[in-house]
Amino acid sequence: MTGKQRREQLIEIGRKLFADKGFEGTTVEEIAAKAGVSKPVVYEHFGGKEGLYAVVVDREIRTLLDGITGALTTRGSSRALLEQAALALLDYIEGSTDGFRILVRDSPTGQSTGSFASLISDVASQVEHILAAEFKRQKLDPKTAPIYAQMLVGMVALTGQWWLDSRKFKKADVAAHLVNLAWNGLAGLEAKPSLREAKD
């Protein structure tokens, strides 16, 4: 095996183990044993488990963000973009289940990037621009777009996590229901919302 082939093999083995057992539950010994190599080979390629994990997470984030960015940068109405983005996330969950399981787990202590929260934040910042334009069109305050972007992306992501485990509904049906709640909720936004029943 060439060095490049060995590296790819270790990445695939690490990806599967991290998905099944999490970062903490996976050991360098286990990765090396599954690859049929000694532990020093893993250290030589990645410097340790943390380095391998970072490569796996970076690849998964790039794949997911590329899919969602592609969906959000096509031409179409705001609703069409919302539908495409919801489907892009569900496509990723369906096609890269192990990768999604890795992303929704907590990152190792001390790692600030690659967490699911940072991924959601990246996606939300892209959605924010679309919402801001839609808010201007509807004469709503575009400065509130970041709040709605976080809510919208969080709703889709958490529903995706639930769907990953339940799979009770077809992907297109889950996307349609997500868009139904989000779009019809966005369609009825009040210009100046306030709490009516809750006491401070």
Side-chain angles (χ1 to χ4, degrees):
M1 218 180 251
T2 66
K4 185 177 180 181
Q5 290 170 326
R6 177 67 71 198
R7 182 177 169 82
E8 289 303 316
Q9 178 203 29
L10 291 170
I11 290 169
E12 280 309 306
I13 288 169
R15 183 177 182 270
K16 181 68 178 148
L17 288 170
F18 292 137
D20 292 344
K21 299 181 166 198
F23 177 80
E24 293 299 330
T26 301
T27 64
V28 172
E29 290 84 358
E30 199 173 8
I31 295 164
K34 290 251 187 218
V37 298
S38 62
K39 288 191 326 185
V41 173
V42 177
Y43 287 107
E44 178 187 321
H45 282 279
F46 301 101
K49 180 173 75 167
E50 293 81 4
L52 175 56
Y53 181 84
V55 169
V56 169
V57 167
D58 285 347
R59 282 187 177 190
E60 294 304 324
I61 287 175
R62 194 173 331 116
T63 300
L64 177 54
L65 281 178
D66 285 351
I68 292 174
T69 301
L72 293 175
T73 54
T74 58
R75 294 192 182 271
S77 67
S78 296
R79 181 176 175 129
L81 294 178
L82 179 60
E83 289 176 0
Q84 291 165 12
L87 273 172
L89 177 62
L90 295 175
D91 283 343
Y92 172 78
I93 293 169
E94 184 177 60
S96 188
T97 301
D98 283 347
F100 188 71
R101 286 192 196 283
I102 291 166
L103 292 179
V104 298
R105 292 182 191 271
D106 290 334
S107 298
T109 307
Q111 183 170 327
S112 60
T113 60
S115 70
F116 192 57
S118 69
L119 175 68
I120 293 301
S121 183
D122 289 348
V123 174
S125 68
Q126 294 183 42
V127 171
E128 182 183 317
H129 300 295
I130 293 165
L131 288 181
E134 183 66 21
F135 282 13
K136 281 180 189 171
R137 197 179 65 72
Q138 293 186 22
K139 299 192 177 11
L140 297 168
D141 185 359
K143 286 186 245 168
T144 62
I147 300 168
Y148 288 96
Q150 290 290 332
M151 289 186 278
L152 185 59
V153 172
M155 177 182 75
V156 174
L158 288 174
T159 303
Q161 282 182 266
W162 166 83
W163 180 66
L164 176 64
D165 294 326
S166 76
R167 300 291 175 112
K168 291 179 182 174
F169 297 91
K170 292 179 183 171
K171 177 176 58 179
D173 292 339
V174 173
H177 285 286
L178 277 166
V179 172
N180 183 38
L181 176 61
W183 186 257
N184 290 317
L186 289 170
L189 286 182
E190 299 171 340
K192 296 195 182 270
S194 63
L195 299 178
R196 294 178 186 152
E197 304 296 330
K199 303 275 187 217
D200 284 349

